[in-house]
Amino acid sequence: MSYAAYKMMHWPTGIDYCAAGFITHSPAEAAAFSSLPPTISGPEVDVDSSAARAPQRVGPTPNLVVVAANVLEVYAVRTDAVMGAQDGGTSSLAAVLDGISGARLELVCYYRLHGNIESMAVLSDGTENTRDSIALAFKDAKVACLEFDDSINGLRTSSMHCFEGPDWLHLKRGRESFAFGPVIKADPQGRCGAALFYGLQMIILKAAQVGQSFVGEDEPTRMLSSAAVRIDSSYVIDLRHLEMNHIKDFTFVHGYIEPVLVILHEQEPTWAGRISSKNQTCMISAFSISMSLKQHPMIWSSAKLPHDAYQLLAVPPPISGILVICANSIHYHSQSTSCSLALNSFSSQPDGSPETLKTSFHVELDAAKATWLSHDIVMFSSKNGEILLLTVVYDGRSVQRLDLMKSKASILSSGATTLGSSFFFLGSHLADSLLVQFSFGVPTSVLPDLADESADIEGDPPFAKRLKRIPSDVLQDVNSVEELSFHSNSVPNSLDSAQKISFVVRDALINVGPLKDFAYGLRTNSDPNAAGIAKQSNYELVCCSGHGKNGTLSALQQSIRPDLITEVELPSCTGIWTVYYKSSRGIITEDNEYHAYLIISLESRTMTGDDLGEVTETVDYNVQASTIAAGNLFGRRRVIQVYAKGARVLDGSFMTQELNFTMHGSESSLTSEPLAAASASIADPYVLLKMVDGTVRLLVGDHSNCTISVNAPTVFASSSERISSCTLHHDRGPEPWLRKARTDAWLSTGIGEATDGNDGFSHDQSDIYCIICFESGKLEIFEVPSFKCVFSVEDFVSGSAILSDDLSHTKDAVIGVPDATTVSVKKEETNNIKIVELAMHRWSGQFSRPFLFGLLNDGTLLCYHAYCYDGSESNAQCAPSSPNGSSDIDNASDSRLRSLRFHRVSIDVSARDDISSFTRPRITIFNNVGGYEGLFLGGPRPTWVFVCRQRFRVHPQLCDGPIVAFTVLHNVNCCHGLIYVTSQGFLKICQLPSAYNYDNYWPVQKVPLHGTPHQVTYYAEQSLYSLIVSVPVVRPLTQVLSSMADQELGLHIESDFTVGDDLQKVYTVDEFEVRIMELEKPSGRWETRFTIPMQPFENALTVRIVTLQNTTTKENETLMAIGTAYVQGEDVAARGRVLLFSFSKTENSQNLFQVTEVYSKESKGAVSAVASLQGHLLIASGPKITLNKWTGSELTAVAFYDAPLHVVSLNIVKNFILFGDIHKSIYFLSWKEQGSQLSLLAKDFGSLESFATEFLIDGSTLSLVVSDSDKNLQIFYYAPKMVESWKGQKLLSRAEFHVGAHVSKLLRIQMLPTQGLVSEKTNRFALVFGTLDGGIGCIAPVDELTFRRLQSLQRKLVDAVPHVCGLNPRSFRHFKSNGKAHRPGPDNIIDFELLSHYEMLSLGEQLDIAQQIGTTRSQILSNFSDFLLSTSFL
């Protein structure tokens, strides 16, 4: 293996930073939007006054910006207002707070950047009608500002600032590595931002003077894009000139005319041994920043702050000033007053200062995250997950004191931010992040609801199934809020407000990080007979994730395997449909109605079934011909069946009308030869047919007598162009979405429309559109039944990034006109590509927008998301016509969907195969399968695409091979399930496994452990997982100290503890145990079968299943080996233990088993890794590796090797051993049986802090992979014949790569063979890795030809693709040595993160780039899909 490829399969989920800002709309727009009367259909009369006031009470809500490693996501908060009396039944399920019954996060846009985001700030000038921008800081010294651009419905880089390279070397002052990355903060009034680089260089970023927004005075009604804050220029302040040495934090304060920057810094550092004599070392200094003069005079400062101060919080107006947060105290400072609050007995105060207030309870605030809930209440999320509320008690502008109280227990958070006036978001690296609604002072009626809400948080009723809540993420009550009494209520802002705050969790974002370790085991519903690629669906990845009380076991799988209910053999099936039948008697609610008939189309006939019993004989369906489509018409009162020669309308099982397409042949010609239908699309009351000759027919239904008639649209009679595919889009709901895209959209929607629906609750308005794609690649949208063209795009096939209506816009650069000088070769390739299937759908949700899908005949799925952008005010000739001069052209342009645009969404669907033009339809849209909505893509690689939060979650289904037909089924036996037919001819009725949450990159099931998981291993024979868990336990300090120290010291310690206060001190210690867990087969629940506790202060470091050869009986035994270490402080010599356990079945017939300890021995040094090597046990204890043989009762040492410091990981292949050292990189050993010796073959001479190691096998080539603390991956090889290897002592570098995350585990999995490339190498292995950010990826060998082709493509894409934030992917993937000397290795890894941009380019650009590197587009795409197939694990 000389060449490798890197691919992420599950992107990071652990949230590092979160912030709130009005990114997609200004506060004024949000306020205008939320003050409209609610447009949910229903009588306006019974909306009582409180519900009508509700949106204003909540106020405008900003967007949430979230950063996970290199992923940037922008969300919008969507609230469900409580309507009047009509849904009193449902609102009792969810707590109602401030007139809101539920809220959820909806994705606006997300980007994967070529660089990890080190810090984030939101630039906001606080005014009503400007938007905010996002400022991101990257290593070493880069800042990028992003603003939301309405015309592309995404983020656009507005400015970039870089302080690296030769011009800025003087800023580093000779240093190469820095303790922390850049930090960026913003001025609350938006006048400037400040970024701290290289430890002591402050960059001031000056904001541009915001001009008037682009709205003219004459059109105040239009919500046009408002300007965002932009950065104009910057300059550098060297903080060394201001006598600063070590900066801990800085922030801007409120209430000054010029921006004022307050810096927390330490004058001369101290350390733990000197705290008693030197502890007030920090100080704060306030500087007034004058950007025009580039001067920064100090205006006030305050010294003698505790050494553990670490965070500054600017107090909002009217109080203003600053809070200094220390680990043991909180201090308030302003120019005039100061006060402080001690949090525990460790807080120290300077001599001669007034007595400080103390809290009534003990708490430590180090590493707390804070956000302001109101102008005088700040919320802290502490390091053990408690929520604390601090009230600043003030009178006028002078602060009198600070009061702290406990509120609830929550998750361990990495960031907190307030969203508007009633939500806050807790981002977490270790648990699921939560969106919480809070309210000051609750009406009494809600309190009983809240009581059970805090005990067990469910989502809103429709989402209850979807948000599988984990008990450990619930806000538990620490102590009831009412008990905390406050003495003085005479202060102007009394503490009642903080006391009466109530919380409800509204939504959660899933996080599976940090992945410390994982095991590869079988699923509950695995199929023992599966082979090939389908066998991968038998496995799942069981991961240790989370920490402390948020620790979970996460079961992840990449592909979905549905739970089978029944299976029937059914050869040569071509399609299945389920239809409803509503007789006039029973009125059932639409959502829960059961399906009545199942229609199965075979190649030459049709079967129909009723509740899974076949009733073909008695029904009037046309059973002699193959059905093309079936569905419901006239509000589910009739069923329509379309076959090639005609159609039938049925009332239940009786036919009411039959149409033949023969008599309605082509009317234009004289002959009336029969014309067959090729495909059909049904949207009540219309059916659109595409005929074999490429023309269309429309069947129009008449509601009054439930009959249909054929109509041939005259629009297409004249044009000779063939239609390649067509579909109907039913735009229904209380407010049809596409109407907003009309020219006069803002006048017609909103208030006027809510009054239309007053006559009846169920009267949804609906518009029906017909979307047609021609063989030339042109796409047009028509109104039905008038067939008036309302939207057209010239070149839909090429997949441009933005689609907009060709007629109502003059061609601008966005659409990209193809050059006339296209090469003939390219022309040919373009002409072969056609759209074979179209679909357009808008899923549920008040704010959802339609998606448009187009399937190309080479298997690419184009996917577009619609949005509104009215850009027409720039070109005057498209202005709305005046009432008198209404010519035809003006009318045509008026009724067009002028402001409709689509932007392309990336979607990883890898079905690369040629689709002939007459195949079955593949896209099936579903609205409820197991509580989820989305679409199913059939074909050779079936894929589920779930739509969650307006984003796609793509999960392949590999277990049954190609799927020819799919439909949903909801009846008594199968609730919200599905039916599909495989190409082998089996019809399967299934349900989605309900234990998994599909709103993640991979489906995940999280099992709370209430402790930190450290390592997991899988025992295949009994399907058991043994994992190390540590649970934090609170112990009295005396007990902890006496057991840690020696006996004599213990006596002295106990005699010292005479003071009453000290006896109460407690200390938290981690208690370790090894749990043996099993995934119960039928139920899918995780059960703990056995627990092995460790001794006090004994940490279990490793657990592995090993196979040892018993030398007395000469048999192999499978045992569980545990390596431990005693952690007793630095004064006690390190010891550890090796434990061996055996599993044995019990006599009873149940599948219970016994775990018995067969061996235990102490060793000098911590036992950090164990492995079995050819029947021997290899133990790494401290700095020594010993090889032991097993006699059945004893381990006897056979050979040993001295490692440098401490072994982190051990890997074994045949008789080769690879181990990673904590500081000294990797060593490669071999074991020889005859001399019984472990001998060193080679080592890496560099110093490397290794995290994980593994062998990479490619045919007969063996490589060694190691990941390190600087987030790199290196591949080494052993070549004793090479000169530079120093006669084989030195391992040579084969490739190196910067992953951008700490890789904590590597797992070797055999690659799957691909049919495209018959390679002679059968034993090829890929490495699947997990990172501490919650990402999963793989490193896999590739052959040289593919590597060379894709590497040249990768070099092209660096320049060809506009990268977000202007980041360079090549510099991101360079090996980062953090200032240490490193000789660069070869560049032998291709990066699929960058290559994936190729598929998102438009067709012309794809062909251009392929031609430039001397290959073809289809060759590149087949390389992509081959790689994807060979690594489609799990």
Side-chain angles (χ1 to χ4, degrees):
M1 196 251 21
S2 313
Y3 307 102
Y6 160 89
K7 182 174 175 38
M8 284 304 284
M9 309 191 316
H10 180 289
W11 285 271
T13 55
I15 290 177
D16 300 323
Y17 307 102
C18 54
F22 289 94
I23 309 293
T24 59
H25 51 268
S26 66
E29 288 169 5
F33 180 74
S34 63
S35 61
L36 288 176
T39 53
I40 300 168
S41 59
E44 288 288 304
V45 192
D46 59 29
V47 176
D48 54 21
S49 57
S50 74
R53 269 205 325 273
Q56 283 95 324
R57 193 164 20 151
V58 169
T61 309
N63 297 96
L64 169 70
V65 187
V66 153
V67 166
N70 64 336
V71 180
L72 174 73
E73 298 177 324
V74 181
Y75 289 95
V77 181
R78 303 294 191 202
T79 55
D80 302 327
V82 178
M83 295 315 294
Q86 67 192 23
D87 65 357
T90 58
S91 63
S92 60
L93 291 173
V96 177
L97 215 58
D98 283 349
I100 286 182
S101 61
R104 64 195 168 278
L105 294 171
E106 213 165 80
L107 188 79
V108 178
C109 54
Y110 83 108
Y111 297 96
R112 304 205 285 263
L113 312 183
H114 298 290
N116 286 1
I117 298 167
E118 298 287 326
S119 174
M120 169 171 67
V122 170
L123 301 170
S124 153
D125 67 352
T127 53
E128 282 296 293
N129 50 8
T130 53
R131 296 187 183 179
D132 304 343
S133 306
I134 308 170
L136 303 172
F138 303 92
K139 279 241 172 41
D140 282 322
K142 289 188 273 281
V143 173
C145 297
L146 302 169
E147 63 183 49
F148 190 78
D149 182 357
D150 284 312
S151 62
I152 59 169
N153 201 50
L155 295 177
R156 185 184 63 206
T157 311
S158 64
S159 66
M160 304 188 303
H161 315 268
C162 180
F163 299 93
E164 298 171 12
D167 297 349
W168 300 98
L169 267 181
H170 62 279
L171 295 183
K172 290 190 178 187
R173 301 185 67 92
R175 288 189 61 179
E176 279 298 326
S177 72
F178 297 90
F180 50 89
V183 184
I184 187 163
K185 298 278 171 79
D187 174 45
Q189 272 91 26
R191 293 163 296 195
C192 67
L196 182 69
F197 291 132
Y198 303 131
L200 284 166
Q201 304 289 340
M202 185 72 75
I203 314 278
I204 303 293
L205 304 162
K206 178 172 176 280
Q209 296 299 314
V210 180
Q212 292 305 309
S213 66
F214 307 123
V215 187
E217 280 70 55
D218 52 337
E219 33 186 14
T221 48
R222 292 211 171 176
M223 293 187 191
L224 291 173
S225 59
S226 44
V229 183
R230 296 198 175 171
I231 297 298
D232 189 13
S233 58
S234 63
Y235 65 95
V236 183
I237 304 176
D238 187 352
L239 297 179
R240 280 186 189 76
H241 301 329
L242 303 174
E243 266 75 63
M244 295 192 188
N245 304 325
H246 175 209
I247 294 182
K248 293 191 151 191
D249 196 16
F250 65 98
T251 189
F252 287 94
V253 289
H254 300 258
Y256 288 89
I257 298 168
E258 292 220 291
V260 170
L261 185 66
V262 177
I263 300 179
L264 169 69
H265 56 109
E266 200 169 21
Q267 279 313 90
E268 39 183 303
T270 179
W271 64 287
R274 297 275 292 150
I275 297 281
S276 55
S277 60
K278 182 177 173 185
N279 54 14
Q280 275 105 21
T281 56
C282 289
M283 66 177 288
I284 53 174
S285 313
F287 298 92
S288 175
I289 307 287
S290 164
M291 286 175 289
S292 49
L293 302 171
K294 298 195 179 178
Q295 289 178 349
H296 34 271
M298 186 196 288
I299 51 177
W300 55 272
S301 71
S302 171
K304 295 221 166 168
L305 287 166
H307 69 98
D308 52 12
Y310 69 96
Q311 191 181 7
L312 294 179
L313 292 179
V315 184
I319 312 172
S320 73
I322 202 141
L323 283 177
V324 184
I325 315 298
C326 315
N328 307 310
S329 56
I330 299 177
H331 304 261
Y332 171 82
H333 283 279
S334 71
Q335 205 158 346
S336 47
T337 59
S338 69
C339 62
S340 63
L341 174 70
L343 303 176
N344 52 42
S345 54
F346 294 118
S347 63
S348 61
Q349 63 212 51
D351 312 328
S353 66
E355 186 64 35
T356 54
L357 284 165
K358 282 204 164 132
T359 52
S360 54
F361 52 91
H362 286 257
V363 65
E364 292 173 11
L365 266 194
D366 51 327
K369 302 291 179 253
T371 182
W372 290 93
L373 297 189
S374 72
H375 68 90
D376 59 343
I377 297 180
V378 64
M379 180 197 78
F380 289 101
S381 170
S382 72
K383 61 181 177 184
N384 53 1
E386 288 177 353
I387 287 186
L388 307 164
L389 297 173
L390 175 79
T391 309
V392 181
V393 183
Y394 68 103
D395 186 1
R397 282 200 66 172
S398 70
V399 171
Q400 298 179 329
R401 57 192 170 85
L402 308 170
D403 269 291
L404 190 71
M405 54 173 272
K406 287 193 179 185
S407 177
K408 298 257 169 141
S410 170
I411 56 172
L412 307 174
S413 62
S414 67
T417 183
T418 309
L419 298 163
S421 55
S422 52
F423 293 97
F424 65 85
F425 178 77
L426 288 174
S428 173
H429 205 98
L430 305 169
D432 291 0
S433 305
L434 304 181
L435 173 72
V436 184
Q437 186 187 351
F438 65 93
S439 172
F440 299 103
V442 184
T444 47
S445 61
V446 186
L447 279 173
D449 262 1
L450 263 174
D452 22 285
E453 191 69 24
S454 63
D456 178 28
I457 289 154
E458 277 296 337
D460 334 338
F463 287 87
K465 284 241 255 334
R466 188 166 313 181
L467 302 171
K468 295 275 183 324
R469 276 285 177 272
I470 300 147
S472 66
D473 286 354
V474 169
L475 294 163
Q476 307 115 345
D477 273 303
V478 183
N479 42 14
S480 78
V481 181
E482 287 74 30
E483 284 172 20
L484 296 167
S485 61
F486 291 93
H487 318 296
S488 56
N489 287 336
S490 58
V491 196
N493 65 329
S494 66
L495 297 165
D496 296 347
S497 53
Q499 206 167 337
K500 288 209 182 76
I501 293 188
S502 47
F503 302 108
V504 187
V505 172
R506 291 299 190 194
D507 200 356
L509 298 180
I510 287 199
N511 168 28
V512 296
L515 296 176
K516 302 192 190 75
D517 190 25
F518 50 74
Y520 182 69
L522 282 174
R523 298 187 196 178
T524 45
N525 57 1
S526 58
D527 169 23
N529 306 324
I533 205 157
K535 193 172 179 184
Q536 284 301 319
S537 298
N538 286 343
Y539 295 98
E540 62 187 350
L541 219 50
V542 176
C543 313
C544 297
S545 56
H547 182 85
K549 65 178 184 185
N550 297 126
T552 56
L553 200 64
S554 303
L556 288 156
Q557 48 195 53
Q558 189 175 1
S559 58
I560 290 181
R561 173 185 282 280
D563 287 335
L564 190 66
I565 299 177
T566 51
E567 172 176 38
V568 188
E569 191 159 356
L570 188 74
S572 73
C573 168
T574 58
I576 41 178
W577 295 269
T578 43
V579 290
Y580 299 99
Y581 170 55
K582 188 186 287 184
S583 58
S584 48
R585 303 184 305 279
I587 301 293
I588 319 167
T589 55
E590 290 228 340
D591 298 335
N592 218 14
E593 189 184 339
Y594 286 156
H595 287 110
Y597 292 100
L598 167 68
I599 300 163
I600 301 171
S601 164
L602 305 178
E603 274 171 12
S604 58
R605 61 190 193 93
T606 295
M607 297 159 53
T608 57
D610 175 3
D611 261 346
L612 306 185
E614 192 182 328
V615 288
T616 309
E617 287 69 48
T618 57
V619 293
D620 286 346
Y621 285 89
N622 182 350
V623 293
Q624 302 308 317
S626 174
T627 306
I628 287 174
N632 287 91
L633 286 184
F634 312 121
R636 296 186 178 174
R637 286 177 303 177
R638 296 283 187 275
V639 178
I640 180 161
Q641 177 199 10
V642 180
Y643 42 93
K645 302 280 195 310
R648 292 189 183 192
V649 181
L650 299 107
D651 182 353
S653 54
F654 304 107
M655 176 168 76
T656 58
Q657 186 187 0
E658 178 166 24
L659 273 180
N660 285 328
F661 302 146
T662 33
M663 55 195 86
H664 303 274
S666 37
E667 280 94 353
S668 52
S669 64
L670 300 169
T671 59
S672 63
E673 58 196 40
L675 191 58
S679 65
S681 166
I682 302 172
D684 185 14
Y686 300 104
V687 182
L688 182 73
L689 304 170
K690 174 179 169 264
M691 297 311 204
V692 186
D693 66 347
T695 57
V696 290
R697 296 280 181 281
L698 184 71
L699 307 184
V700 184
D702 181 357
H703 261 288
S704 54
N705 54 5
C706 290
T707 56
I708 54 173
S709 56
V710 178
N711 167 12
T714 51
V715 187
F716 309 118
S718 56
S719 78
S720 59
E721 225 182 327
R722 287 178 63 107
I723 290 167
S724 68
S725 61
C726 56
T727 183
L728 289 176
H729 171 54
H730 196 156
D731 191 22
R732 70 178 89 178
E735 202 180 303
W737 192 85
L738 283 168
R739 286 191 194 179
K740 299 179 190 171
R742 288 287 161 88
T743 317
D744 45 0
W746 302 111
L747 309 173
S748 65
T749 53
I751 304 149
E753 212 139 299
T755 52
D756 288 351
N758 281 347
D759 44 3
F761 160 59
S762 63
H763 181 72
D764 278 355
Q765 304 159 341
S766 64
D767 302 338
I768 293 185
Y769 295 92
C770 160
I771 299 131
I772 288 186
C773 196
F774 298 96
E775 295 209 339
S776 66
K778 182 177 179 182
L779 174 96
E780 297 200 329
I781 301 183
F782 298 90
E783 279 182 344
V784 174
S786 65
F787 275 93
K788 191 162 61 177
C789 177
V790 290
F791 184 86
S792 66
V793 173
E794 213 34 67
D795 196 14
F796 176 65
V797 181
S798 71
S800 344
I802 305 283
L803 304 180
S804 60
D805 187 9
D806 284 347
L807 271 187
S808 50
H809 299 279
T810 50
K811 286 265 185 187
D812 49 338
V814 179
I815 302 161
V817 192
D819 299 339
T821 61
T822 42
V823 195
S824 56
V825 183
K826 276 172 52 182
K827 199 88 183 136
E828 253 170 53
E829 190 159 351
T830 323
N831 286 345
N832 300 336
I833 293 182
K834 297 187 178 47
I835 298 275
V836 290
E837 192 175 352
L838 278 172
M840 185 168 175
H841 191 72
R842 175 175 165 228
W843 279 279
S844 65
Q846 192 190 342
F847 298 97
S848 64
R849 311 193 307 272
F851 286 98
L852 172 68
F853 301 95
L855 189 64
L856 301 185
N857 55 359
D858 67 347
T860 316
L861 182 68
L862 297 178
C863 163
Y864 284 92
H865 203 172
Y867 64 97
C868 277
Y869 171 67
D870 200 352
S872 60
E873 74 275 0
S874 54
N875 27 3
Q877 76 270 22
C878 283
S881 59
S882 51
N884 46 15
S886 57
S887 64
D888 287 348
I889 303 167
D890 279 338
N891 269 345
S893 92
D894 251 9
S895 62
R896 292 182 78 85
L897 301 173
R898 168 180 306 167
S899 52
L900 172 68
R901 289 201 176 186
F902 292 94
H903 72 97
R904 175 118 180 248
V905 186
S906 69
I907 179 168
D908 295 327
V909 174
S910 61
R912 290 264 161 259
D913 60 319
D914 284 334
I915 305 169
S916 66
S917 50
F918 294 115
T919 48
R920 309 294 329 160
R922 293 194 174 184
I923 299 174
T924 312
I925 285 168
F926 57 87
N927 286 324
N928 190 343
V929 173
Y932 289 89
E933 51 188 18
L935 66 99
F936 182 83
L937 187 67
R941 274 185 63 89
T943 308
W944 290 83
V945 181
F946 294 105
V947 179
C948 308
R949 317 180 187 280
Q950 291 290 296
R951 84 183 284 173
F952 290 139
R953 298 299 198 180
V954 182
H955 305 308
Q957 177 176 325
L958 312 171
C959 54
D960 291 299
I963 287 180
V964 291
F966 171 94
T967 187
V968 293
L969 173 69
H970 178 49
N971 67 11
V972 189
N973 311 319
C974 173
C975 179
H976 295 304
L978 54 125
I979 307 181
Y980 60 87
V981 181
T982 67
S983 59
Q984 276 95 34
F986 286 97
L987 178 139
K988 302 193 175 191
I989 300 178
C990 306
Q991 277 176 315
L992 275 182
S994 58
Y996 287 86
N997 191 326
Y998 297 93
D999 181 17
N1000 187 31
Y1001 298 108
W1002 287 7
V1004 59
Q1005 176 189 9
K1006 293 185 77 170
V1007 187
L1009 297 171
H1010 306 296
T1012 308
H1014 294 276
Q1015 222 181 40
V1016 62
T1017 186
Y1018 179 61
Y1019 179 41
E1021 285 171 36
Q1022 314 226 8
S1023 304
L1024 302 175
Y1025 293 90
S1026 38
L1027 71 153
I1028 300 173
V1029 181
S1030 66
V1031 183
V1033 183
V1034 176
R1035 292 255 182 268
L1037 194 59
T1038 46
Q1039 187 186 334
V1040 174
L1041 286 171
S1042 59
S1043 59
M1044 276 181 75
D1046 296 335
Q1047 302 311 307
E1048 308 139 32
L1049 270 169
L1051 300 173
H1052 295 309
I1053 290 172
E1054 276 160 30
S1055 60
D1056 285 350
F1057 279 132
T1058 48
V1059 192
D1061 177 37
D1062 285 352
L1063 287 172
Q1064 263 55 59
K1065 284 193 181 169
V1066 290
Y1067 186 72
T1068 309
V1069 287
D1070 279 341
E1071 296 205 340
F1072 279 76
E1073 61 193 32
V1074 174
R1075 290 186 198 167
I1076 298 179
M1077 297 181 78
E1078 184 177 21
L1079 181 55
E1080 280 195 345
K1081 273 288 182 283
S1083 66
R1085 282 206 318 276
W1086 286 83
E1087 300 290 341
T1088 305
R1089 294 280 180 231
F1090 209 83
T1091 305
I1092 305 164
M1094 298 291 124
Q1095 295 174 3
F1097 301 103
E1098 184 181 30
N1099 290 11
L1101 296 183
T1102 180
V1103 58
R1104 287 288 175 253
I1105 301 292
V1106 292
T1107 306
L1108 303 183
Q1109 189 182 23
N1110 189 329
T1111 51
T1112 48
T1113 62
K1114 297 282 187 280
E1115 285 177 2
N1116 283 350
E1117 296 180 20
T1118 304
L1119 303 171
M1120 179 173 70
I1122 302 173
T1124 72
Y1126 290 96
V1127 179
Q1128 292 175 307
E1130 55 188 20
D1131 303 324
V1132 185
R1135 304 175 290 132
R1137 282 200 303 166
V1138 180
L1139 304 167
L1140 292 178
F1141 289 84
S1142 69
F1143 299 97
S1144 54
K1145 282 266 176 78
T1146 48
E1147 286 75 54
N1148 309 353
S1149 58
Q1150 288 101 355
N1151 56 358
L1152 293 175
F1153 53 90
Q1154 201 60 39
V1155 179
T1156 46
E1157 183 181 314
V1158 291
Y1159 179 76
S1160 155
K1161 185 187 177 200
E1162 273 204 12
S1163 79
K1164 293 180 193 164
V1167 180
S1168 56
V1170 291
S1172 55
L1173 168 63
Q1174 296 181 347
H1176 298 60
L1177 183 64
L1178 196 61
I1179 301 171
S1181 68
K1184 181 173 281 195
I1185 295 179
T1186 53
L1187 188 68
N1188 301 270
K1189 62 172 193 245
W1190 172 241
T1191 62
S1193 58
E1194 277 297 318
L1195 283 176
T1196 49
V1198 183
F1200 72 91
Y1201 179 80
D1202 281 324
L1205 290 164
H1206 174 80
V1207 175
V1208 180
S1209 64
L1210 271 178
N1211 307 98
I1212 287 170
V1213 162
K1214 295 185 178 169
N1215 63 333
F1216 296 114
I1217 302 162
L1218 164 67
F1219 74 83
D1221 188 82
I1222 195 165
H1223 278 304
K1224 295 287 183 193
S1225 197
I1226 56 172
Y1227 283 67
F1228 185 41
L1229 315 176
S1230 77
W1231 152 248
K1232 295 195 181 63
E1233 187 82 54
Q1234 59 269 37
S1236 70
Q1237 60 179 6
L1238 289 172
S1239 55
L1240 174 70
L1241 293 175
K1243 63 177 185 177
D1244 174 24
F1245 279 43
S1247 66
L1248 198 67
E1249 300 175 4
S1250 41
F1251 266 49
T1253 56
E1254 189 52 272
F1255 287 104
L1256 185 56
I1257 300 171
D1258 178 21
S1260 57
T1261 323
L1262 188 69
S1263 307
L1264 322 169
V1265 180
V1266 57
S1267 68
D1268 63 41
S1269 60
D1270 290 324
K1271 307 184 179 180
N1272 304 309
L1273 249 156
Q1274 275 174 284
I1275 305 179
F1276 290 100
Y1277 66 109
Y1278 174 58
K1281 301 221 169 62
M1282 304 276 278
V1283 179
E1284 53 266 41
S1285 72
W1286 298 1
K1287 295 187 178 168
Q1289 298 175 54
K1290 186 177 178 185
L1291 288 171
L1292 299 177
S1293 171
R1294 185 161 265 162
E1296 58 186 23
F1297 190 78
H1298 183 68
V1299 178
H1302 289 296
V1303 174
S1304 52
K1305 164 82 176 180
L1306 293 159
L1307 173 76
R1308 194 168 67 235
I1309 301 182
Q1310 185 153 7
M1311 286 173 76
L1312 308 163
T1314 56
Q1315 64 276 11
L1317 211 153
V1318 186
S1319 67
E1320 68 286 350
K1321 295 178 179 172
T1322 46
N1323 62 335
R1324 280 198 138 170
F1325 287 81
L1327 295 184
V1328 173
F1329 62 82
T1331 73
L1332 293 184
D1333 296 327
I1336 299 172
C1338 71
I1339 296 274
V1342 288
D1343 53 277
E1344 184 171 0
L1345 189 67
T1346 312
F1347 173 78
R1348 296 277 178 231
R1349 179 182 301 122
L1350 295 182
Q1351 190 187 35
S1352 45
L1353 171 65
Q1354 175 176 311
R1355 288 181 178 146
K1356 266 274 174 281
L1357 287 177
V1358 172
D1359 310 323
V1361 179
H1363 300 293
V1364 189
C1365 298
L1367 293 164
N1368 188 333
R1370 277 187 63 189
S1371 75
F1372 176 44
R1373 295 309 183 184
H1374 265 279
F1375 187 91
K1376 307 274 190 296
S1377 60
N1378 195 15
K1380 297 193 278 286
H1382 173 76
R1383 207 172 141 203
D1387 178 19
N1388 283 346
I1389 295 192
I1390 45 176
D1391 175 19
F1392 268 89
E1393 284 295 275
L1394 174 56
L1395 291 173
S1396 64
H1397 287 291
Y1398 181 74
E1399 299 185 70
M1400 286 299 292
L1401 293 172
S1402 68
L1403 188 62
E1405 295 170 305
Q1406 288 186 14
L1407 296 169
D1408 271 346
I1409 289 179
Q1411 196 181 12
Q1412 285 167 9
I1413 61 172
T1415 177
T1416 61
R1417 169 179 179 266
S1418 51
Q1419 179 67 62
I1420 291 172
L1421 294 180
S1422 76
N1423 281 157
F1424 282 3
S1425 72
D1426 278 350
F1427 184 80
L1428 207 130
L1429 278 171
S1430 62
T1431 57
S1432 49
F1433 309 120
L1434 306 158

